[in-house]
Amino acid sequence: MAQKRSAKLDPRLAATAALVRPDAIFADIGCDHGYLAIELMRRGAVRGYACDINPGPLASAQKNIEQAGFSAQIQTVLTDGLQGLEQYPITDVTIAGIGGEVITDILKQAAFLKKPGIRLILQPQSREHILRSFLFENGFPIFYEQALRSGRYTYVVFAAEYTGECRKLSLLESYCGMLPEQHTAESKEKLLRTAGFIKDIAEGLSHRGNAEEAAQLLTVYQQILTITDNLLNN
């Protein structure tokens, strides 16, 4: 029997793995080389589905899964996002390393997620404000969020579950999430990067004559600067 080796995960994937529940039946969407799926089995998952839209990475994942000794527990699935996975008894869904807009599109096409008990663990690479807004407006409130540093950049990972309670976020809430509540250097760094992103968007809108929208974003920019001034001082 092949030795069950631990997968080496970067901080983003390690934080994602930590939010998957013990005894989960997971679906890892965009599994790439399968390292996250392998680690989830090592941590006690019951079964998993390593999914990718591209045959090349999926073949690599299959090879790594076999070498790690988990080919009986992890099934590789060639699919676009979550399409076709409604037939499986999935409890936890992980989507990491792609943009917030793309994750949002994947979730929009997976109506079967709208039932209590399925946990979404999401790690967007960018535009997390779009994903936050979608989740809350469609009954998936975020109950956990963490900022973390991986390499040169800071990212967020968050977890959400369907409750059916829908709420429209303010601009500030969509851009900041739960980060203002966390007095960490990573949260402050992520918020400052977000503020810079917002300022760039506002300047572009202003140049194109969208003064009202630009002013709204600049207000959020100033609010975030005020938040970051207080984050590590209280």
Side-chain angles (χ1 to χ4, degrees):
M1 181 177 178
Q3 182 181 3
K4 295 183 178 180
R5 299 174 297 178
S6 298
K8 184 178 180 181
L9 303 182
D10 67 20
R12 296 176 305 105
L13 293 184
T16 301
L19 290 171
V20 176
R21 292 170 290 188
D23 301 323
I25 300 174
F26 67 85
D28 180 28
I29 308 304
C31 68
D32 200 22
H33 298 293
Y35 297 136
L36 176 58
I38 292 168
E39 177 64 11
L40 293 179
M41 291 307 307
R42 186 185 71 81
R43 293 183 179 214
V46 172
R47 182 168 179 77
Y49 301 93
C51 309
D52 208 286
I53 193 174
N54 296 309
L58 202 63
S60 176
Q62 181 66 55
K63 180 179 179 181
N64 290 331
I65 289 165
E66 290 174 357
Q67 291 177 344
F70 290 115
S71 56
Q73 292 88 9
I74 303 174
Q75 177 182 338
T76 54
V77 183
L78 183 65
T79 184
D80 184 357
L82 285 151
Q83 293 182 25
L85 299 188
E86 62 275 2
Q87 62 183 303
Y88 303 121
I90 295 166
T91 64
D92 295 55
V93 174
T94 60
I95 310 179
I98 56 180
E101 286 177 297
V102 178
I103 296 176
T104 298
D105 288 340
I106 289 172
L107 298 179
K108 283 179 179 178
Q109 299 177 51
F112 73 93
L113 297 177
K114 285 192 171 184
K115 59 183 178 181
I118 299 178
R119 176 175 293 186
L120 307 180
I121 302 102
L122 310 171
Q123 190 280 298
Q125 291 290 87
S126 61
R127 298 185 182 275
E128 55 272 3
H129 64 289
I130 295 174
L131 182 54
R132 284 195 193 100
S133 294
F134 168 81
L135 289 170
F136 276 95
E137 290 174 10
N138 287 274
F140 295 90
I142 296 168
F143 64 86
Y144 176 89
E145 183 165 1
Q146 175 191 357
L148 57 107
R149 185 176 293 105
S150 184
R152 296 170 53 198
Y153 300 104
T154 51
Y155 302 94
V156 292
V157 59
F158 40 74
E161 291 183 19
Y162 183 74
T163 66
E165 298 178 11
C166 304
R167 181 168 73 88
K168 185 174 179 61
L169 298 182
S170 68
L171 270 179
L172 182 64
E173 289 174 320
S174 69
Y175 278 105
C176 294
M178 301 172 72
L179 298 185
E181 304 166 19
Q182 302 169 13
H183 296 258
T184 67
E186 291 80 8
S187 294
K188 182 173 183 177
E189 181 179 339
K190 180 59 182 174
L191 287 170
L192 286 173
R193 287 185 177 274
T194 299
F197 172 74
I198 291 171
K199 185 179 180 182
D200 289 343
I201 295 176
E203 289 175 349
L205 289 169
S206 181
H207 290 153
R208 293 193 294 273
N210 298 327
E212 183 177 349
E213 191 174 352
Q216 291 175 341
L217 287 176
L218 286 175
T219 296
V220 174
Y221 165 74
Q222 292 294 340
Q223 289 173 322
I224 294 176
L225 292 185
T226 300
I227 290 169
T228 56
D229 283 343
N230 296 327
L231 263 188
L232 298 179
N233 297 326
N234 296 324

